[in-house]
């Protein structure tokens, strides 16, 4: 199967053609936001970090920003630095430039103050835009498409309707040759038996179980009962009673897909012919970052309680099985699968609806989060603030 996508210099294909304005440190977030706000195809990848990070934490922030700059959906990049931060602007610029030729850099302490920097940044992004709007989509094999799976604001309908439909969609995508990624380590506790059956090799199963155990041990070390946050108050109001019940519903997202690889947060997925697990937290934006860093160009997000967020680097399709949310938050929802709960629709039919929406989104159709301007972004911190 062929899809119309944008070809990149590094050989990848994107489903969007946007400009990433990437601040290296929180101190220049406002400048990045002002630049991006003036150019309609630009997004500011703002975050609270770039300084006061140590070792692996600083390395992870740098690598995630690099992967966002070289993401297939990114057509051009403007790196905005301050000049005294720990994520060195010139190093990030060089790392992105090797894969994304349309990359420019402004360092405020070398260039000027806020107003001059914003003015110059807008000029650079307008020049990028002029080039990008002329670029046409080309034929790409569906094997160039990677789809990320998430769930948030889950309720009883998530595990009965929307997540199983995603499982059917994932199975079909993989059968067609596409790639699929999932994460949310905290929402796999209690589903280890299912994962064992789906993992193609013991190494990946051990990796996933180790990460699940790490989350449990971290909570124990903090003298925290994990049940105080999992399920969340919203999950409980939505009818979920235990973390195991939540996990058994969440794992339905992958259907019967074979897990062919398991990777760390901030790494790219490399294996094909199955589904890849990436170790992410349950936090929606952090999970989106981990899945996008792994290579997902389209995200599919199920929500029973209603979640409006989107993600800067990839379109996010919203799916619900809750009829009330489908009505109350209609403008935020792309696909209403409440017919499954009402026995007016099968899970197979729900999967087909999501599958068709993924293909349309990949070829340019905007999803609700995009239309409403939900282009959220944040980095994921793994160490405390010590300095």
């Amino acid at each position: 199967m062929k899809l119309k996508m944008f070809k990149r210099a590094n050989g990848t294909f994107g489903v969007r053609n946007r400009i990433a304005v990437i601040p290296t440190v929180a101190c220049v977030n406002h400048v990045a936001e002002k630049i991006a706000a003036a150019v309609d195809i630009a997004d500011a990848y703002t975050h609270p970090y770039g300084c006061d990070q140590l070792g692996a934490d600083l390395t992870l922030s740098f690598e995630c920003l690099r992967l966002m700059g070289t993401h297939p959906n990114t057509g051009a990049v403007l790196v905005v630095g301050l000049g005294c931060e720990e994520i060195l602007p010139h190093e990030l610029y060089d790392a992105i430039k090797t894969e994304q030729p349309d990359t420019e850099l402004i360092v405020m302490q070398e260039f000027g103050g806020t107003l001059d920097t914003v003015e110059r940044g807008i000029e650079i992004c307008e020049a990028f835009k002029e080039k990008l709007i002329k670029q046409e989509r080309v034929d790409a094999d569906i094997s160039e498409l990677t789809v990320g799976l998430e769930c948030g604001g889950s309720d009883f309908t998530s595990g009965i309707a929307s997540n199983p439909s995603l499982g059917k969609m994932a199975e079909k995508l993989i059968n067609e040759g596409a790639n699929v990624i999932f994460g949310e380590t905290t929402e796999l506790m209690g589903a280890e038996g299912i994962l064992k059956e789906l993992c193609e090799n013991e190494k990946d199963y051990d990796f996933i179980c180790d990460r699940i155990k790490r989350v449990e041990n971290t909570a124990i070390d903090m003298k925290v009962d994990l049940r105080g946050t999992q399920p969340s108050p919203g999950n409980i109001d939505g009818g979920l009673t235990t973390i195991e019940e939540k996990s058994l519903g969440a794992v339905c997202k992958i259907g019967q897909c074979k897990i062919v690889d398991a990777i760390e947060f901030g790494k790219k997925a490399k294996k094909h012919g199955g589904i890849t697990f990436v170790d992410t937290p349950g936090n929606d934006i952090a999970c989106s970052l981990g899945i996008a860093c792994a290579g997902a160009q389209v995200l599919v997000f199920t929500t029973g309680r209603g979640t409006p967020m989107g993600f800067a680097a990839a379109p996010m399709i919203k799916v619900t099985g809750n009829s009330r949310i489908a009505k109350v938050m209609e403008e935020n929802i792309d696909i209403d699968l409440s017919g499954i709960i009402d026995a007016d629709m099968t899970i197979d039919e729900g999967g087909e609806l999501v599958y068709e929406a993924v293909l349309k989104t990949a070829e340019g159709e905007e999803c609700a989060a995009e239309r409403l301007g939900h282009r959220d972004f944040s980095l994921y911190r793994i160490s405390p603030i010590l300095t």
Side-chain angles (χ1 to χ4, degrees):
M1 178 185 292
K2 299 292 182 181
L3 296 173
K4 294 290 186 181
M5 300 167 72
F6 296 103
K7 188 170 184 179
R8 302 299 176 209
N10 64 2
T12 61
F13 291 82
V15 305
R16 294 294 183 269
N17 211 18
R18 298 187 65 84
I19 303 165
V21 182
I22 302 179
T24 53
V25 66
C27 306
V28 292
N29 277 349
H30 177 67
V31 171
E33 288 172 340
K34 295 285 282 186
I35 294 169
V39 183
D40 62 356
I41 66 167
D43 302 303
Y45 286 48
T46 56
H47 58 87
Y49 305 126
C51 260
D52 300 326
Q53 293 180 275
L54 303 171
D57 194 47
L58 180 64
T59 299
L60 180 63
S61 289
F62 181 96
E63 186 62 9
C64 286
L65 292 179
R66 183 191 72 81
L67 288 169
M68 290 298 93
T70 58
H71 191 276
N73 292 345
T74 302
V77 180
L78 174 61
V79 176
V80 181
L82 179 60
C84 56
E85 59 268 45
E86 290 175 344
I87 292 182
L88 301 177
H90 291 277
E91 286 190 4
L92 182 61
Y93 164 79
D94 288 341
I96 294 173
K97 184 82 171 179
T98 58
E99 291 190 51
Q100 173 52 269
D102 289 324
T103 301
E104 296 291 345
L105 169 69
I106 303 178
V107 180
M108 285 189 69
Q109 291 172 355
E110 298 173 4
F111 183 81
T114 296
L115 297 180
D116 286 343
T117 305
V118 169
E119 181 180 5
R120 178 58 184 145
I122 293 172
E123 290 175 357
I124 292 171
C125 289
E126 286 288 0
F128 282 151
K129 177 182 174 180
E130 187 175 346
K131 180 177 179 179
L132 291 177
I133 61 176
K134 295 176 182 177
Q135 185 177 0
E136 296 183 355
R137 292 174 180 265
V138 299
D139 284 338
D141 192 80
I142 194 172
S143 62
E144 301 292 347
L145 178 67
T146 300
V147 177
L149 311 179
E150 290 187 67
C151 55
S154 300
D155 73 348
F156 79 97
T157 70
S158 298
I160 296 174
S162 49
N163 286 345
S165 296
L166 253 65
K168 293 296 183 182
M169 178 270 296
E171 291 168 9
K172 185 166 184 178
L173 281 173
I174 288 174
N175 287 337
E176 294 280 355
N179 310 294
V180 179
I181 297 172
F182 81 114
E184 297 172 296
T185 306
T186 54
E187 297 179 12
L188 295 176
M189 295 179 189
E192 289 89 345
I194 294 172
L195 296 171
K196 186 174 182 64
E197 292 180 2
L198 296 178
C199 284
E200 279 199 338
N201 62 73
E202 191 172 344
K203 174 181 66 70
D204 293 331
Y205 175 70
D206 289 343
F207 176 94
I208 297 172
C209 289
D210 175 73
R211 296 312 184 271
I212 293 171
K213 194 65 178 177
R214 182 184 297 180
V215 172
E216 293 181 289
N217 289 338
T218 299
I220 292 170
D221 290 343
M222 296 173 66
K223 296 180 172 57
V224 174
D225 185 346
L226 201 59
R227 290 170 294 181
T229 58
Q230 291 285 353
S232 70
N235 297 149
I236 294 169
D237 287 344
L240 299 180
T241 60
T242 66
I243 190 169
E244 291 85 1
E245 184 179 33
K246 182 178 180 180
S247 295
L248 291 172
V251 78
C252 291
K253 294 195 302 292
I254 66 174
Q256 294 300 308
C257 299
K258 288 297 182 181
I259 300 170
V260 297
D261 202 8
I263 60 176
E264 300 280 6
F265 193 107
K267 300 294 184 182
K268 290 190 71 172
K270 295 180 179 179
K271 291 189 178 180
H272 302 277
I275 194 165
T276 294
F277 167 80
V278 56
D279 178 27
T280 79
N283 177 276
D284 296 336
I285 297 181
C287 179
S288 299
L289 173 65
I291 290 174
C293 283
Q297 304 115 310
V298 177
L299 305 177
V300 187
F301 189 110
T302 68
T303 178
R305 300 282 295 172
T307 307
M309 65 161 275
F311 191 66
M316 182 181 284
I317 300 168
K318 288 294 172 56
V319 181
T320 190
N322 186 312
S323 59
R324 188 186 72 83
I325 291 300
K327 294 175 183 176
V328 173
M329 298 183 66
E330 181 179 3
E331 64 186 16
N332 298 99
I333 300 299
D334 295 288
I335 304 173
D336 174 10
L337 298 181
S338 60
I340 295 173
I341 303 296
D342 296 332
D344 294 328
M345 179 190 299
T346 67
I347 290 173
D348 285 336
E349 289 170 340
E352 186 65 25
L353 284 176
V354 184
Y355 172 80
E356 293 296 334
V358 166
L359 299 187
K360 290 176 182 177
T361 301
E363 293 197 312
E365 185 174 294
E366 282 194 327
C367 56
E370 292 179 289
R371 292 193 299 271
L372 294 167
H374 289 285
R375 301 183 184 279
D376 307 290
F377 184 81
S378 185
L379 290 177
Y380 172 47
R381 187 166 189 137
I382 57 175
S383 68
I385 297 174
L386 299 175
T387 58

